[in-house]
DNA sequence: GCCGGGCGATAACATATGTTATCAAACTGC
DNA sequence: GCAGTTTGATAACATATGTTATCGCCCGGC
């Protein structure tokens, strides 16, 4: 689903730089929808400042799938390559600045990479890593209790807990907001000074 | 994690056929381990007959991640490309016949594909689809109750329920074997003739 | 300064799920 | 065919989690 062209694979920046002129920079308020659930994704989204989330609707309730922050890029690669509707929506959490790159340039960019087997391999590696990310999330759901998942989040990605409203985190962890509150209370009892 | 070279992408069979001579065919009893958790994957596994599962150990309990049947191929693509230990084990469920292709041939095969941008694109599409598969699994965990997940399984992949012992299915659904029994009893009450 | 909304904590109760134990049926190796 | 193992059902009890409602706090608009 999501590809990160920058950061992890600086060797690919040479491709990315070339498309800088086609970026559309936008300043957005909080809770601004960037992609609606069920629509076909048309833009690669690069976050310059702020943060966004991917979520979907489940009988009236919003379930958050993932959070993204500055310097991260995202797009529904499946929607791009296979032209299928996006199974989730994307919206800003904080007021944010993003740069959009239209789908056609992304495909063009990937075609250029296709000329170079080395870059293409890197794309595949990225794909394998992304796949592994979701497998890890899945394994965490099967293996860990919500309390453990919260502890892991606190340990590995505390910035999420600091910046994101708690009910989004609750739905990301797969529990109700009330129960997340209980979890925090329980953990606080164990570690009084936090 | 898992790549299917055959079936879904018959255009790629031309590559696959070429490596037929290097396949090692094996007949295996049930519960035979093909890959241990934590080891680096060395073989692409093609299932000719029978079925296998991928699982991992979570404080003494085995949690099943996925099931595979005849004509499906699997391997830890992440373990291949990035040479990292496999986060789960693979073992047969039924007595099975499998063909193994050593990692070095798989990499060779992928290099050959790399010469052909069209095939490479197909590999990326496969990757995108596989990624989507795990995202769907993840979304199902967040969205659905165990009862709904069981119903979905019954509707979409009944062969799994027919062939696989129930406690494996329970761990795949993320519930205890006892509770899966309750779920079945409850559903049977609603549909007496099943 | 006031007001309303969003956010988070907590309580009380209902439901879902885990755990342990027991039993019966089906299958396995010999 | 027999003994042991695997599988699946069920009961009883403990725990985890959801739901609804209420309260207080903070913050932004005016």
């Amino acid at each position: 689903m999501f590809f990160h062209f920058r950061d992890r694979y600086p060797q690919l920046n040479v491709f990315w730089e070339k498309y800088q002129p086609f970026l559309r920079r936008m300043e957005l308020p909080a809770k601004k929808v960037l992609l609606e659930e069920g629509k076909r994704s048309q833009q690669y989204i690069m976050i310059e400042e702020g943060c966004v989330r991917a979520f979907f609707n489940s009988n009236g309730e919003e379930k958050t799938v993932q959070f993204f922050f500055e310097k991260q890029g995202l797009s529904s690669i499946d929607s791009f390559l296979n032209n299928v509707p996006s199974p989730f929506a994307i919206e800003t959490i904080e007021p944010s600045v993003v740069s959009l790159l239209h789908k056609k340039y992304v495909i063009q960019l990937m075609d250029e990479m296709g000329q170079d087997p080395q870059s293409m391999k890197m794309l595949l590696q990225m794909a394998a890593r992304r796949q592994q990310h979701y497998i890890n999330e899945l394994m965490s759901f099967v293996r860990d209790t919500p309390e453990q998942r919260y502890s892991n989040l606190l340990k590995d990605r505390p910035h999420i807990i600091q910046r994101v409203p708690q009910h989004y985190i609750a739905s990301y962890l797969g529990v109700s907001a009330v129960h997340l509150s209980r979890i925090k209370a329980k953990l606080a009892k164990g570690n009084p000074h936090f």
Side-chain angles (χ1 to χ4, degrees), chain A:
Chain A
M1 145 196 185
F2 294 117
F3 260 33
H4 299 228
F5 279 113
R6 294 211 324 213
D7 276 354
R8 272 185 109 106
Y9 296 86
Q11 304 96 317
L12 297 181
N13 275 358
V14 52
F15 294 101
W16 181 254
E17 300 299 341
K18 208 176 137 184
Y19 285 89
Q20 290 289 91
F22 304 113
L23 288 178
R24 236 177 58 214
R25 188 184 168 90
M26 304 177 69
E27 302 197 8
L28 303 170
K31 299 204 178 192
K32 176 77 179 176
V33 174
L34 281 164
L35 170 63
E36 284 178 52
E37 183 179 334
K39 295 270 173 87
R40 277 158 231 275
S41 172
Q42 296 300 323
Q43 308 279 351
Y44 180 80
I45 302 167
M46 185 72 208
I47 305 174
E48 309 289 352
E49 286 171 45
C51 65
V52 310
R53 69 189 182 110
F55 67 98
F56 63 93
N57 194 294
S58 161
N59 9 336
E61 262 188 293
E62 291 184 353
K63 306 285 190 173
T64 300
V65 184
Q66 200 169 355
F67 302 103
F68 300 89
F69 299 87
E70 295 83 4
K71 307 296 171 207
Q72 289 190 307
L74 60 137
S75 76
S76 175
I77 188 69
D78 191 51
S79 186
F80 275 26
L81 292 180
N82 301 317
N83 198 36
V84 295
S86 171
F88 33 74
I90 296 172
E91 74 171 22
T92 56
I93 294 174
E94 306 171 354
S96 305
V97 180
V98 304
S99 294
L100 304 181
L101 183 62
H102 192 274
K103 174 180 172 170
K104 70 180 171 194
Y105 295 118
V106 177
I107 288 178
Q108 209 171 303
L109 193 163
M110 290 179 69
D111 280 344
E112 284 185 35
M113 285 187 187
Q115 306 309 310
D116 172 25
Q118 206 52 39
S119 301
M120 206 60 186
K121 263 181 139 167
M122 226 169 281
L123 262 190
L124 267 184
Q125 279 192 1
M126 280 169 56
R129 285 246 169 79
R130 291 274 75 201
Q131 194 171 310
Q132 197 56 45
H133 168 82
Y134 293 110
I135 289 170
N136 289 340
E137 292 274 303
L138 188 59
M139 283 172 62
S140 170
F141 261 95
V142 178
R143 183 198 324 115
D144 304 329
T145 64
E147 183 176 328
Q148 287 172 308
R149 283 209 301 287
Y150 180 78
S151 295
N152 292 344
L153 199 63
L154 196 55
K155 177 163 59 70
D156 301 332
R157 292 175 287 172
H159 58 284
I160 291 183
I161 291 171
Q162 283 156 18
R163 288 176 64 174
V164 174
Q166 191 162 311
H167 58 283
Y168 293 156
I169 295 178
S171 81
Y172 170 71
L173 294 175
V175 299
S176 66
V178 173
H179 191 61
L180 178 52
S181 219
R182 275 196 289 247
I183 288 172
K184 287 178 72 170
K186 189 178 166 194
L187 289 177
K189 195 171 281 179
N191 298 352
H193 34 306
F194 282 124

